[in-house]
Amino acid sequence: MNVAIIGGTGYGAVELIRFLYNHPNVTLTTIISHSNSGTSFSEVYPHLSDLVNVEMESFDEDQLAKEVDLVFFATPSNVSKHQIPKLIDKGIKCIDLSGDFRLEDHELYEQYYGEEMAEAKYIDQAVYGLSEINNESIKGASLIANPGCYPTATTLGLIPVLANDMVERKNIIIDAKTGVSGAGRSLSLNTHFSEMNENFKAYKIGNHKHIPEIEQVLSKAAEEEIQITFTPHIVPMTRGIMSTMYVDLKEKQSTNQLIALYEDFYKYHPFVRIRKEGVFPQTKEVYGSNYCDIGLYADQRTGKLIIVSVIDNLVKGASGQAIQNMNIMNGWEETTGLTQLPIYP
Amino acid sequence: MNVAIIGGTGYGAVELIRFLYNHPNVTLTTIISHSNSGTSFSEVYPHLSDLVNVEMESFDEDQLAKEVDLVFFATPSNVSKHQIPKLIDKGIKCIDLSGDFRLEDHELYEQYYGEEMAEAKYIDQAVYGLSEINNESIKGASLIANPGCYPTATTLGLIPVLANDMVERKNIIIDAKTGVSGAGRSLSLNTHFSEMNENFKAYKIGNHKHIPEIEQVLSKAAEEEIQITFTPHIVPMTRGIMSTMYVDLKEKQSTNQLIALYEDFYKYHPFVRIRKEGVFPQTKEVYGSNYCDIGLYADQRTGKLIIVSVIDNLVKGASGQAIQNMNIMNGWEETTGLTQLPIYP
Amino acid sequence: MNVAIIGGTGYGAVELIRFLYNHPNVTLTTIISHSNSGTSFSEVYPHLSDLVNVEMESFDEDQLAKEVDLVFFATPSNVSKHQIPKLIDKGIKCIDLSGDFRLEDHELYEQYYGEEMAEAKYIDQAVYGLSEINNESIKGASLIANPGCYPTATTLGLIPVLANDMVERKNIIIDAKTGVSGAGRSLSLNTHFSEMNENFKAYKIGNHKHIPEIEQVLSKAAEEEIQITFTPHIVPMTRGIMSTMYVDLKEKQSTNQLIALYEDFYKYHPFVRIRKEGVFPQTKEVYGSNYCDIGLYADQRTGKLIIVSVIDNLVKGASGQAIQNMNIMNGWEETTGLTQLPIYP
Amino acid sequence: MNVAIIGGTGYGAVELIRFLYNHPNVTLTTIISHSNSGTSFSEVYPHLSDLVNVEMESFDEDQLAKEVDLVFFATPSNVSKHQIPKLIDKGIKCIDLSGDFRLEDHELYEQYYGEEMAEAKYIDQAVYGLSEINNESIKGASLIANPGCYPTATTLGLIPVLANDMVERKNIIIDAKTGVSGAGRSLSLNTHFSEMNENFKAYKIGNHKHIPEIEQVLSKAAEEEIQITFTPHIVPMTRGIMSTMYVDLKEKQSTNQLIALYEDFYKYHPFVRIRKEGVFPQTKEVYGSNYCDIGLYADQRTGKLIIVSVIDNLVKGASGQAIQNMNIMNGWEETTGLTQLPIYP
């Protein structure tokens, strides 16, 4: 199967390439980058010297339709909504790593993305690609809205107790921390080494665009409207996300009862791993891999359940999950091309 | 005035020395280090070559009584409780950076510190040295229990709304993050560079020894028993603490109303700075300095108040506050010797 | 083919496991760790939870002889010299990542390793596993002395010009820099996060044990005795080595002439990549991979050639090259199991 | 004395402010920033909230002449050459942290700075502000060309042996490493956190603009033309420079003889510290301070002297040395306002 990547020189693209390079069923034939058309990929990313010398091209839907069966979009917000419809109309499957097709509510999209949403008929086709939860609908999809990084770590951590109606609907607090690569390759003072090194900060409190996405996913899982409190922070490291989450248990549960519940919930899902009692996952333990690792602590004093969920933001939080979704769409083994172990230390 | 430091080769001591070196009213005459007796300080810390060549000594209360008026303890847990009584009995003032004299409840001490507490008559003399809150009692004290790092950042952030009875007593959640130096200079796999670099982790969930300390301080401020949910994390940086705190407001308040309240609460306290609406303090903004910087966000959707409080864990969270307390005890300007600006970037 | 790893809980072992896990021709059946016998591997390294649950065992040559065909030693100095002879005598092939079998000169070994060398008959069997240079003798070897990290980066950078007799034998200066993982998992103040973070230092100037190893390799390549000046430094990062090398060219050469020479020298060796004129490799460009990347600059003002050579110290500098050598010994494609791309960013 | 800073929002400026804030003889009245005119300084640098609320202004030489006696330029290249003449003509003393007035050779300036040099009569007035070496001429100067960061670390390390005619004039190799803040606050992919974190790289090999500056200073000290080989590298840390230098000793010397020579050479210079035999300075040991620390190793095998010299690039390599020069110009104690200890860890 031939595939293309649009948005060729961001971190999403470079991670897609890492996994596609060793994927047995797929050939990457085309990399589209508006701003680098005509340049060899390895000139922009010398770590791929002698390995990925594909010359980047401009977007051309007719050309793509001739060459490839599936396209990954690793573009900034408000780009894929213009291009995906053209490809879908030509029968090309699309996996979109941006947020353009994730939200169902037009008003929320405009509020958080600052522009109009894609046309409704394309939004309706989009399947939200949270692989472990939406496995069935992903199988038949031709357009995948690949989840955001925070939403992946967060919802995988919360859904087991929400879907089992074990927690109160209010007081759901998500204190999230990300490595700097989450901000992409665009330059800003926020990602300037001397300002971010040896620093830790909160940002976009109360207005991060992942808030409506998380609430949409959780509300479906809980079959009830959920409102969250979500505070993102930046950690002086390149990769990794941790969501530390606080919920009120409806009834007392021991930590081990909850661990058993989570293990059961994810028993057919190799990329979610539950830690034993007293052990909590660290971001480095999933570095470079597609795992989501979860640790639990039921505080008997306060009745709170504390959930710690970690992913590599560029892998399970973006490109790795996109490959996983491609595998599911095609009926391949879910782990195909994703068997690389976390790199440690 | 002559002073001594006990516990000479930990990070608490080396930071005390940094501030004492330029303090106009004080001479550091003696550094006690059991394990390094006879060694020059600058051999252990070459950054002080040619500057601090004091030869370290063993603890001897009679010798100390002859030489100094005040002693700083920068020792591990369960050391100062044996030595401070001997010095207090000889009329030497003591500032203890360890936790030995912070808790009032003997059972909690045993539970969290694993040994018996100091004798009650010394515990009773100890004044909890949260400078901004206990200013008056610090003035007359001869024994200061200098606050822990997390408790300092946390309680300075919470007390204004608790003391003003503006928040619910339950659902107080403290998601705290510290730089690695909080673990001191003792070697462990947790502080091994290759394991901690490019990593972020939670630890001691539900059983950190700062939990009873924070609850004791907040309960006094609120005049009611307070239970908290407290999750500490380690950030791959050397210095800095951030406490991100979530409380339920009893009544709706705008962010700006709350900022005004905090500014008023701390108006006579130069080391607490309140950020303007929409701005949140970063740990690097207090690096090397004695400031505690606070940002606020009142979430109108959920009724939660989010408080972000940062300090340098080794300064306001330890040695800087100890100097500040020495100043207060002696009736000197609170900022004496502490006017160094944060070092940035 | 079944293989075992001795020295199971160091970074050498954990990287061997990463590559063996996906190697198509090999099964890892046994992990030996004296100090962790009876423990599951993933308890020590939770990033391999659910993946590598092998229970570690104590060393037993008879047991090993029954189970495996080849053994990797990832042990500290002066361990494998006692154990490898026992296995060799039983016909088991050995790849030794430690320095025990690298030096040919007994006196130098004693000077730099502080103990007696292994018995001469085993030293004589050992083939120095610098894969690109000693390819032919590795093929028939039963005992491989896998090169050190600094020697790999350094000698691959210098041999092309030395073997072609293009540089003066004196004035060879090697200014080397390593990430902290080069010091392994043993705890020390040198690898304590708070001391090493935001720090850069030189160490072991003039007495590093890689000096005789590098001189031995270079002297053979130059067919003349070579003395080097070698200064190692530690960089506040986990992985990566850069050797910046300075040599006197016998005759003027342009940078491009030298690049052509290096490209030709390594044309059959996929793991050595030569950068174009004006481009120099960065350590991050080989992160997690088996590449050695080299950049060149011929300074026309001073007649010096500057060579920049980078590797991942844990991969091409240790475990990756060990896998490469296993492949060569067995007549497999050299890149088998090593096709993972560098992970970037 | 009133002073101004031009180039208000770079790292040079912010460090000048840190030292001026506590300087007993000086008041900072004016901060000039073309791009931030009208903005409060602490809005751009929130770590100075409540402390430095000066409103920034545009450059106006008449206004400056009324307000201040001395001006610091912390501007990019090719700015101060236009503005300093106007101030000098009005009798205002200037200390220039940029490279505009450092070189004496017009051709070299054009080659490395890409533009024409300042007018000769101003160049002739400029005194190169390497405080320890040019102390006497700094005293009477009205225009100081403050040295570059690499040249400061490098020349202070080399001058003692060059001035004493103890080393060969050729084969002087300088392998230099800097923290990222050396690149300033301007955004570029080179200083993008995700690209620079966990990375180490060489850059501008053979064409860095500090080459002619270093050669000019060394040639004067040696009273003979000196050519160097200079390779700069970037370390993933914010602050600190290390120059590791290799020279050929004319005659054999023990390390201790050379240490004695260096100690004698710098005996009246409190900011240069020489380490004992076997000890080498680390960059963190001068963090935030004005020290230049030097370690030596005379390699008896090869006849090379290895010199390790470290500074904080933003302090002794820029703003701290500028303050030191201001002190010398005014006949104040050299250390005034610079007594802050290195901050460690």
Side-chain angles (χ1 to χ4, degrees):
Chain A
M1 204 174 104
N2 290 335
V3 303
I5 296 173
I6 321 278
T9 53
Y11 294 149
V14 81
E15 278 293 84
L16 282 170
I17 290 170
R18 184 163 69 92
F19 292 112
L20 291 171
Y21 187 82
N22 285 308
H23 196 291
N25 307 347
V26 169
T27 305
L28 172 65
T29 57
T30 313
I31 306 177
I32 306 291
S33 168
H34 187 65
S35 54
N36 289 279
S37 176
T39 309
S40 160
F41 193 78
S42 63
E43 259 184 67
V44 179
Y45 281 108
H47 73 286
L48 297 181
S49 296
D50 303 358
L51 298 170
V52 180
N53 295 321
V54 176
E55 193 179 285
M56 288 178 276
E57 303 170 27
S58 289
F59 182 81
D60 177 339
E61 65 263 31
D62 296 319
Q63 189 65 26
L64 280 170
K66 279 184 219 147
E67 291 172 1
V68 305
D69 309 296
L70 185 149
V71 170
F72 293 96
F73 277 81
T75 42
S77 293
N78 292 316
V79 172
S80 69
K81 72 180 184 188
H82 299 297
Q83 298 179 332
I84 281 182
K86 296 178 191 166
L87 298 178
I88 290 289
D89 287 351
K90 290 184 183 292
I92 300 177
K93 295 189 171 180
C94 293
I95 298 177
D96 183 16
L97 279 71
S98 86
D100 286 19
F101 291 86
R102 290 183 201 148
L103 296 185
E104 297 169 359
D105 185 301
H106 290 238
E107 277 178 38
L108 283 174
Y109 188 88
E110 281 186 45
Q111 179 185 340
Y112 283 92
Y113 288 83
E115 293 192 9
E116 270 196 40
M117 214 175 190
E119 231 181 296
K121 71 170 184 174
Y122 298 103
I123 294 289
D124 293 349
Q125 284 183 55
V127 171
Y128 188 75
L130 190 61
S131 316
E132 282 73 16
I133 304 303
N134 298 337
N135 205 293
E136 281 311 308
S137 37
I138 292 167
K139 276 180 193 160
S142 52
L143 167 53
I144 298 290
N146 212 57
C149 48
Y150 286 129
T152 298
T154 299
T155 60
L156 289 177
L158 284 170
I159 286 175
V161 277
L162 276 176
N164 281 289
D165 196 20
M166 295 168 73
V167 300
E168 303 291 346
R169 265 57 182 141
K170 47 181 295 229
N171 279 329
I172 297 179
I173 287 172
I174 300 156
D175 191 283
K177 302 90 178 175
T178 187
V180 183
S181 66
R185 211 185 199 203
S186 311
L187 304 179
S188 82
L189 212 48
N190 278 320
T191 57
H192 193 54
F193 185 90
S194 300
E195 308 269 325
M196 192 57 233
N197 180 42
E198 192 68 14
N199 197 3
F200 183 85
K201 61 184 166 198
Y203 71 107
K204 289 192 187 167
I205 298 188
N207 61 15
H208 194 287
K209 60 166 70 107
H210 286 165
I211 293 175
E213 183 179 339
I214 294 170
E215 292 185 342
Q216 175 180 296
V217 178
L218 296 184
S219 297
K220 281 191 187 170
E223 297 176 342
E224 197 178 339
E225 201 183 332
I226 299 278
Q227 270 196 335
I228 59 167
T229 299
F230 176 74
T231 310
H233 303 75
I234 310 188
V235 183
M237 61 184 187
T238 303
R239 286 167 181 254
I241 277 185
M242 180 183 286
S243 280
T244 311
M245 297 171 276
Y246 304 86
V247 296
D248 289 324
L249 287 169
K250 287 188 170 174
E251 288 172 26
K252 279 224 168 178
Q253 305 273 343
S254 74
T255 297
N256 267 328
Q257 282 176 304
L258 289 155
I259 287 174
L261 177 109
Y262 273 68
E263 281 179 339
D264 188 62
F265 192 91
Y266 287 119
K267 68 183 161 197
Y268 301 121
H269 297 288
F271 287 124
V272 180
R273 303 187 296 186
I274 312 301
R275 289 287 186 282
K276 279 190 260 181
E277 186 175 11
V279 183
F280 294 90
Q282 311 179 7
T283 61
K284 202 183 184 81
E285 291 169 4
V286 297
Y287 198 95
S289 79
N290 200 47
Y291 292 97
C292 174
D293 287 4
I294 296 173
L296 300 167
Y297 177 77
D299 189 342
Q300 303 305 316
R301 289 198 330 151
T302 58
K304 299 269 182 199
L305 168 62
I306 304 175
I307 306 162
V308 174
S309 173
V310 304
I311 59 170
D312 183 323
N313 57 306
L314 296 178
V315 187
K316 183 62 178 169
S319 304
Q321 188 157 241
I323 301 289
Q324 187 181 358
N325 286 329
M326 176 185 73
N327 290 339
I328 297 171
M329 287 164 87
N330 287 286
W332 303 330
E333 186 72 37
E334 202 171 333
T335 56
T336 313
L338 293 170
T339 56
Q340 301 194 4
L341 299 187
I343 185 166
Y344 190 95
Chain B
M1 204 174 104
N2 290 334
V3 304
I5 296 173
I6 322 278
T9 52
Y11 294 149
V14 81
E15 278 293 83
L16 282 170
I17 289 170
R18 184 163 69 92
F19 292 112
L20 292 171
Y21 187 82
N22 285 308
H23 196 290
N25 308 347
V26 169
T27 305
L28 172 64
T29 58
T30 313
I31 306 177
I32 306 290
S33 168
H34 188 65
S35 55
N36 289 280
S37 175
T39 309
S40 161
F41 193 79
S42 63
E43 259 184 66
V44 180
Y45 282 106
H47 74 286
L48 298 180
S49 296
D50 303 358
L51 299 171
V52 180
N53 296 321
V54 177
E55 192 178 287
M56 288 179 275
E57 302 170 27
S58 289
F59 181 81
D60 177 338
E61 65 262 34
D62 296 319
Q63 190 65 28
L64 280 169
K66 280 184 219 147
E67 292 172 0
V68 305
D69 308 295
L70 185 150
V71 170
F72 293 96
F73 277 82
T75 42
S77 292
N78 292 316
V79 172
S80 68
K81 72 180 185 189
H82 300 298
Q83 299 178 334
I84 281 181
K86 296 178 191 167
L87 298 178
I88 290 289
D89 286 352
K90 289 184 185 293
I92 300 176
K93 295 190 171 179
C94 294
I95 298 177
D96 183 17
L97 279 72
S98 87
D100 285 21
F101 292 86
R102 290 183 201 146
L103 297 185
E104 295 168 0
D105 185 302
H106 290 238
E107 278 177 38
L108 283 175
Y109 187 90
E110 283 186 46
Q111 179 185 341
Y112 283 92
Y113 288 82
E115 292 193 10
E116 270 195 39
M117 215 176 191
E119 231 182 295
K121 70 170 183 172
Y122 299 103
I123 295 290
D124 292 348
Q125 285 182 53
V127 171
Y128 188 74
L130 190 61
S131 316
E132 281 73 16
I133 304 303
N134 298 337
N135 205 292
E136 282 309 310
S137 37
I138 292 166
K139 276 179 192 160
S142 52
L143 167 53
I144 298 290
N146 212 56
C149 48
Y150 286 129
T152 298
T154 299
T155 60
L156 289 177
L158 285 170
I159 286 175
V161 276
L162 276 175
N164 281 290
D165 196 21
M166 296 169 71
V167 300
E168 303 290 345
R169 266 58 184 140
K170 47 182 297 228
N171 279 331
I172 297 179
I173 287 173
I174 300 156
D175 191 283
K177 301 90 177 174
T178 186
V180 183
S181 66
R185 211 185 198 201
S186 310
L187 305 178
S188 83
L189 212 47
N190 279 319
T191 56
H192 193 53
F193 186 90
S194 301
E195 308 269 326
M196 192 57 233
N197 179 43
E198 191 66 14
N199 196 4
F200 183 84
K201 62 185 167 198
Y203 70 108
K204 288 193 186 166
I205 298 188
N207 62 17
H208 195 286
K209 60 165 72 104
H210 286 165
I211 293 175
E213 184 179 337
I214 293 170
E215 292 185 342
Q216 175 180 296
V217 178
L218 296 185
S219 297
K220 280 190 189 173
E223 297 176 344
E224 198 178 338
E225 201 183 331
I226 300 278
Q227 271 196 335
I228 59 168
T229 299
F230 176 74
T231 310
H233 303 75
I234 310 188
V235 183
M237 63 184 186
T238 302
R239 287 168 181 253
I241 277 184
M242 179 182 288
S243 280
T244 312
M245 297 172 276
Y246 304 86
V247 296
D248 289 323
L249 287 169
K250 288 188 171 175
E251 287 172 28
K252 280 224 167 178
Q253 306 274 343
S254 75
T255 298
N256 267 330
Q257 282 176 303
L258 289 156
I259 287 174
L261 176 109
Y262 273 68
E263 281 179 341
D264 187 61
F265 192 91
Y266 287 118
K267 69 183 159 197
Y268 301 120
H269 298 288
F271 288 123
V272 180
R273 304 187 294 187
I274 312 301
R275 289 286 187 282
K276 281 189 259 180
E277 188 175 11
V279 183
F280 295 91
Q282 311 179 7
T283 62
K284 202 183 185 81
E285 292 169 3
V286 296
Y287 198 95
S289 79
N290 201 47
Y291 292 97
C292 174
D293 287 3
I294 297 173
L296 300 167
Y297 177 76
D299 189 342
Q300 303 305 317
R301 289 197 329 150
T302 59
K304 299 269 182 199
L305 167 62
I306 304 176
I307 305 160
V308 174
S309 173
V310 304
I311 59 169
D312 183 322
N313 58 304
L314 296 179
V315 187
K316 184 62 177 169
S319 304
Q321 187 157 240
I323 301 289
Q324 188 180 358
N325 285 330
M326 177 186 71
N327 291 340
I328 298 171
M329 286 163 87
N330 286 286
W332 304 329
E333 187 72 36
E334 205 171 331
T335 56
T336 314
L338 293 169
T339 56
Q340 302 194 2
L341 298 186
I343 184 165
Y344 191 97
Chain C
M1 205 175 101
N2 291 333
V3 303
I5 295 173
I6 322 279
T9 52
Y11 295 150
V14 81
E15 278 293 84
L16 282 169
I17 290 169
R18 184 163 68 94
F19 293 112
L20 291 171
Y21 187 83
N22 285 308
H23 197 290
N25 308 346
V26 169
T27 305
L28 172 65
T29 58
T30 314
I31 305 177
I32 306 290
S33 170
H34 188 65
S35 54
N36 289 280
S37 176
T39 309
S40 161
F41 193 79
S42 63
E43 259 184 65
V44 180
Y45 281 108
H47 73 287
L48 298 181
S49 296
D50 303 359
L51 299 170
V52 180
N53 296 319
V54 177
E55 192 179 289
M56 288 178 275
E57 303 170 26
S58 290
F59 181 81
D60 177 337
E61 65 262 31
D62 296 319
Q63 189 66 27
L64 280 169
K66 279 183 218 147
E67 293 172 359
V68 305
D69 308 294
L70 185 148
V71 170
F72 293 96
F73 277 82
T75 42
S77 294
N78 292 314
V79 171
S80 69
K81 72 181 185 189
H82 299 298
Q83 299 178 333
I84 281 181
K86 295 177 192 167
L87 298 178
I88 291 288
D89 287 352
K90 289 183 184 294
I92 300 176
K93 295 191 171 179
C94 293
I95 298 178
D96 184 16
L97 278 71
S98 87
D100 286 19
F101 291 87
R102 290 183 200 148
L103 297 185
E104 296 169 359
D105 185 301
H106 290 238
E107 278 177 38
L108 282 175
Y109 188 89
E110 282 185 45
Q111 181 186 337
Y112 283 92
Y113 288 83
E115 293 193 9
E116 271 195 39
M117 213 176 192
E119 231 182 294
K121 70 170 185 175
Y122 298 103
I123 295 289
D124 292 349
Q125 285 182 55
V127 171
Y128 188 75
L130 190 60
S131 316
E132 281 73 16
I133 305 302
N134 298 336
N135 203 293
E136 282 309 310
S137 37
I138 292 166
K139 275 178 192 160
S142 52
L143 167 52
I144 297 290
N146 212 59
C149 49
Y150 286 129
T152 297
T154 300
T155 61
L156 289 176
L158 285 170
I159 285 174
V161 277
L162 276 175
N164 281 291
D165 196 20
M166 295 170 71
V167 300
E168 303 291 346
R169 264 58 181 141
K170 46 181 299 229
N171 279 330
I172 298 179
I173 287 171
I174 300 154
D175 191 283
K177 301 91 177 172
T178 187
V180 183
S181 67
R185 212 186 199 201
S186 310
L187 304 180
S188 84
L189 212 46
N190 279 318
T191 56
H192 193 54
F193 185 90
S194 300
E195 308 268 325
M196 193 56 233
N197 180 43
E198 192 66 14
N199 196 3
F200 183 84
K201 62 184 164 197
Y203 71 108
K204 288 192 187 168
I205 299 188
N207 63 16
H208 195 285
K209 59 166 70 105
H210 286 165
I211 293 175
E213 183 179 338
I214 294 170
E215 292 185 342
Q216 175 180 295
V217 178
L218 296 184
S219 297
K220 280 190 188 173
E223 297 175 343
E224 198 178 337
E225 203 184 329
I226 300 277
Q227 272 195 336
I228 59 167
T229 299
F230 176 74
T231 309
H233 303 75
I234 310 188
V235 184
M237 62 185 186
T238 302
R239 288 167 181 252
I241 276 184
M242 179 183 287
S243 280
T244 312
M245 297 172 277
Y246 304 86
V247 296
D248 289 324
L249 287 169
K250 286 188 172 174
E251 288 171 28
K252 281 225 165 175
Q253 307 273 344
S254 73
T255 297
N256 267 329
Q257 282 175 304
L258 289 156
I259 287 173
L261 176 110
Y262 273 69
E263 281 179 338
D264 187 62
F265 192 92
Y266 288 118
K267 69 183 159 197
Y268 302 121
H269 298 288
F271 288 124
V272 180
R273 302 187 295 188
I274 313 301
R275 288 287 186 284
K276 280 190 260 182
E277 188 175 9
V279 183
F280 295 90
Q282 311 180 7
T283 61
K284 201 182 185 83
E285 291 168 4
V286 297
Y287 198 95
S289 79
N290 201 47
Y291 292 96
C292 175
D293 287 3
I294 296 173
L296 301 167
Y297 177 75
D299 189 342
Q300 304 304 318
R301 290 197 328 151
T302 59
K304 300 269 181 199
L305 168 62
I306 303 175
I307 306 160
V308 174
S309 173
V310 304
I311 59 170
D312 183 322
N313 58 306
L314 295 179
V315 186
K316 183 62 179 171
S319 304
Q321 187 157 240
I323 301 288
Q324 188 181 357
N325 285 330
M326 176 185 73
N327 290 339
I328 297 171
M329 287 164 87
N330 286 287
W332 304 329
E333 187 71 38
E334 204 172 332
T335 54
T336 314
L338 293 169
T339 56
Q340 302 194 2
L341 298 186
I343 184 165
Y344 191 97
Chain D
M1 204 175 105
N2 291 334
V3 304
I5 296 173
I6 321 279
T9 52
Y11 294 149
V14 80
E15 278 292 83
L16 282 170
I17 289 170
R18 184 164 67 94
F19 292 112
L20 292 172
Y21 186 82
N22 284 307
H23 197 291
N25 308 347
V26 170
T27 305
L28 171 64
T29 56
T30 313
I31 306 177
I32 306 291
S33 169
H34 187 65
S35 53
N36 289 280
S37 177
T39 309
S40 161
F41 193 79
S42 63
E43 258 184 67
V44 180
Y45 281 108
H47 73 288
L48 298 181
S49 296
D50 303 358
L51 299 170
V52 180
N53 296 321
V54 177
E55 193 179 286
M56 289 178 276
E57 303 169 25
S58 291
F59 181 81
D60 176 338
E61 63 263 31
D62 297 319
Q63 189 65 27
L64 280 170
K66 278 183 220 148
E67 292 172 358
V68 305
D69 309 294
L70 187 148
V71 170
F72 293 96
F73 278 82
T75 41
S77 294
N78 292 315
V79 172
S80 69
K81 71 179 187 191
H82 299 299
Q83 299 178 333
I84 281 182
K86 297 179 191 166
L87 298 179
I88 290 289
D89 287 352
K90 290 185 183 292
I92 299 177
K93 296 191 171 179
C94 294
I95 298 178
D96 183 17
L97 279 72
S98 87
D100 285 19
F101 291 86
R102 291 184 201 147
L103 297 186
E104 296 169 1
D105 186 301
H106 290 238
E107 279 178 37
L108 282 175
Y109 188 89
E110 282 186 45
Q111 180 186 338
Y112 283 93
Y113 288 82
E115 293 194 8
E116 270 194 42
M117 213 175 191
E119 231 182 295
K121 70 170 183 173
Y122 298 103
I123 294 290
D124 293 348
Q125 284 183 55
V127 171
Y128 188 75
L130 190 60
S131 316
E132 282 72 17
I133 305 303
N134 298 336
N135 204 292
E136 281 310 310
S137 37
I138 293 166
K139 276 179 192 161
S142 53
L143 167 52
I144 298 290
N146 211 59
C149 49
Y150 286 128
T152 297
T154 299
T155 60
L156 289 177
L158 285 169
I159 286 174
V161 278
L162 276 175
N164 281 290
D165 196 19
M166 295 169 73
V167 301
E168 304 290 348
R169 265 58 180 139
K170 47 181 296 226
N171 279 330
I172 298 179
I173 287 171
I174 300 155
D175 192 282
K177 301 92 177 172
T178 187
V180 183
S181 66
R185 212 185 198 200
S186 311
L187 304 179
S188 83
L189 213 46
N190 279 318
T191 55
H192 193 55
F193 186 91
S194 300
E195 308 269 325
M196 192 55 234
N197 179 44
E198 192 67 13
N199 196 3
F200 183 84
K201 61 183 166 198
Y203 70 107
K204 290 194 186 166
I205 298 188
N207 62 15
H208 194 286
K209 60 165 72 106
H210 286 166
I211 292 175
E213 183 178 339
I214 293 170
E215 292 185 342
Q216 175 179 295
V217 178
L218 296 184
S219 297
K220 282 191 188 171
E223 297 175 344
E224 198 178 338
E225 201 184 331
I226 300 277
Q227 271 195 336
I228 59 167
T229 299
F230 176 75
T231 309
H233 303 75
I234 309 188
V235 183
M237 62 185 185
T238 303
R239 286 166 181 254
I241 276 184
M242 180 183 287
S243 281
T244 311
M245 297 171 275
Y246 304 86
V247 297
D248 290 323
L249 286 169
K250 287 188 171 174
E251 287 171 29
K252 281 224 167 177
Q253 306 275 343
S254 74
T255 298
N256 268 328
Q257 282 176 304
L258 289 155
I259 287 174
L261 177 109
Y262 273 69
E263 280 179 340
D264 188 61
F265 192 91
Y266 288 118
K267 70 183 159 198
Y268 301 121
H269 298 288
F271 287 123
V272 180
R273 303 187 295 187
I274 313 301
R275 288 286 186 283
K276 281 190 258 182
E277 187 175 12
V279 183
F280 296 89
Q282 311 179 9
T283 61
K284 201 184 186 82
E285 291 168 4
V286 296
Y287 198 94
S289 79
N290 200 46
Y291 292 96
C292 174
D293 287 4
I294 296 174
L296 300 167
Y297 177 76
D299 189 342
Q300 303 304 316
R301 289 197 331 151
T302 60
K304 300 268 182 201
L305 168 62
I306 304 176
I307 306 160
V308 174
S309 174
V310 304
I311 58 170
D312 182 323
N313 57 305
L314 295 179
V315 187
K316 184 62 178 168
S319 304
Q321 189 158 238
I323 301 288
Q324 188 181 358
N325 286 330
M326 176 185 72
N327 290 340
I328 297 171
M329 288 164 86
N330 287 288
W332 303 329
E333 188 70 37
E334 203 171 332
T335 55
T336 313
L338 294 169
T339 56
Q340 301 195 2
L341 298 186
I343 184 165
Y344 190 97

